[in-house]
Amino acid sequence: MADAGDLRDFTQPDELSDLTIIINGTPLHVHKQYLAEWSPVWRRMFLESFTDHDELKEVQLPDKNIDEFTELLHCIYSTQKPISVHNVAFLLELAEEYQMERITKRCEEFLMNQERSIEILVLAQKFHLKNVYKRCVEFAKTRTLEDLETDPETKNLDPQTLLSIYKGKIEMLLDYSNELKQNEDKMSQERDLLKMEKENMKRSLQSIQKLWDTPNKRCYRHMSDNLYDYSCAECNEKMYREVRKLCGEGQHLRRYFPKIPPK
Ligand SMILES: [Zn+2]
């Protein structure tokens, strides 16, 4: 990359320069051939002036900014200064005026590699940089409405661009809401399954509780008694086996539950 010392000083006359551009009294010595190669606007201007038998040697551009115009020259001369955040906006402006598609292309490539912002979206909108535009609308739709409203650049977005952002935002929210709905369905299925397991567990515990009131689960001597005799070793032994059996089933209850097939 060229540093400032390597850059051409256009204010100094050059033996081969054949055109002087004057901006607010400052002469810039340039080469028609070079400018014509980059800009069809300049090319036409030079060709038209040539037929007047009075070759164009000097052009006054009073409405231009000398620094910005010099930057443009640096970008097209062999030193080819890089596009930067400092020059991209006015280079796009000048490139549009002089139909310098290669400069526009370089600016677009530069912007594609910059962090996305509303400021860049405004540039993309103004100079019809389709890829940059698309990329920044994608970015803008992920911002909150507050972020968008407080960004000073938002007021420079035209209604069509704002519409694209809001449309993208709505689509994004719809996707999100569909996702939530799917999660809700899934959780509701899981909840039903747990509820069923709980009911089964409860039923199993209730049947264990009823054992002490079931006469035919006792020993033959106490089968006709109204109340359970806790002092009978034989009854207790029978009861112990029954409880063990039912608890064993309880541990494996989950195995017998029908699974709800996932959607
Ligand atoms: Zn007994």
Side-chain angles (χ1 to χ4, degrees):
M1 201 181 290
D3 67 30
D6 296 329
L7 292 175
R8 182 186 283 270
D9 182 359
F10 292 100
T11 60
Q12 296 306 308
D14 175 90
E15 293 87 344
L16 290 173
S17 71
D18 50 5
L19 178 73
T20 307
I21 293 174
I22 299 172
I23 299 174
N24 293 324
T26 306
L28 299 173
H29 303 278
V30 295
H31 308 75
K32 283 183 191 170
Q33 185 63 42
Y34 224 99
L35 299 190
E37 261 178 51
W38 281 84
S39 161
V41 175
W42 279 328
R43 190 183 164 80
R44 270 196 304 278
M45 187 172 29
F46 302 149
L47 286 175
E48 279 161 17
S49 69
F50 192 69
T51 58
D52 295 343
H53 298 284
D54 182 22
E55 210 191 329
L56 190 69
K57 287 200 169 78
E58 200 178 288
V59 182
Q60 295 271 357
L61 296 177
D63 60 328
K64 291 284 174 285
N65 174 308
I66 178 91
D67 292 333
E68 293 179 3
F69 203 88
T70 304
E71 186 84 1
L72 177 70
L73 292 174
H74 281 313
C75 287
I76 64 175
Y77 268 74
S78 54
T79 42
Q80 298 238 343
K81 233 184 140 174
I83 310 296
S84 71
V85 285
H86 308 293
N87 65 18
V88 68
F90 64 76
L91 285 178
L92 277 168
E93 194 95 46
L94 290 167
E96 183 177 62
E97 181 177 348
Y98 294 109
Q99 296 168 14
M100 298 167 74
E101 279 169 24
R102 277 185 289 166
I103 290 292
T104 306
K105 186 112 193 93
R106 276 174 63 191
C107 288
E108 185 164 18
E109 278 161 12
F110 169 78
L111 291 175
M112 280 303 272
N113 290 309
Q114 290 300 109
E115 204 178 314
R116 301 177 298 175
S117 69
I118 304 298
E119 192 183 354
I120 291 179
L121 179 56
V122 172
L123 281 180
Q125 171 193 274
K126 188 173 176 190
F127 298 105
H128 312 286
L129 310 174
K130 273 186 198 158
N131 293 331
V132 179
Y133 184 87
K134 212 174 139 194
R135 188 169 172 265
C136 288
V137 166
E138 281 298 305
F139 158 80
K141 78 176 192 190
T142 64
R143 302 287 93 188
T144 65
L145 288 178
E146 269 178 336
D147 282 345
L148 288 174
E149 276 160 19
T150 50
D151 195 311
E153 290 291 334
T154 301
K155 65 176 188 312
N156 298 321
L157 295 174
D158 62 33
Q160 206 186 338
T161 302
L162 279 173
L163 205 67
S164 300
I165 294 171
Y166 292 143
K167 202 169 155 251
K169 237 182 147 35
I170 288 167
E171 277 162 9
M172 208 175 69
L173 289 173
L174 271 177
D175 284 350
Y176 182 57
S177 117
N178 282 336
E179 201 180 301
L180 283 181
K181 181 80 186 80
Q182 279 173 12
N183 283 344
E184 196 193 343
D185 290 348
K186 208 173 136 206
M187 282 168 80
S188 139
Q189 283 175 15
E190 278 167 9
R191 191 200 59 205
D192 290 348
L193 188 66
L194 282 173
K195 204 172 150 193
M196 193 167 64
E197 286 188 16
K198 192 190 84 180
E199 289 302 322
N200 278 320
M201 194 63 79
K202 203 169 132 192
R203 220 172 301 132
S204 165
L205 289 169
Q206 276 168 351
S207 64
I208 291 177
Q209 197 188 20
K210 277 184 200 143
L211 280 177
W212 282 267
D213 300 325
T214 312
N216 64 10
K217 298 285 178 194
R218 302 174 195 161
C219 76
Y220 69 96
R221 283 184 291 130
H222 293 115
M223 273 183 185
S224 50
D225 289 2
N226 280 335
L227 291 171
Y228 185 82
D229 182 355
Y230 286 92
S231 66
C232 174
E234 223 175 311
C235 279
N236 284 341
E237 177 64 26
K238 284 196 80 171
M239 203 55 67
Y240 172 71
R241 286 206 196 105
E242 285 291 333
V243 172
R244 248 187 84 103
K245 201 178 113 212
L246 287 172
C247 285
E249 278 171 15
Q251 275 176 16
H252 303 290
L253 277 175
R254 289 185 75 103
R255 255 206 297 178
Y256 304 113
F257 292 154
K259 287 275 181 199
I260 299 172
K263 269 185 192 168

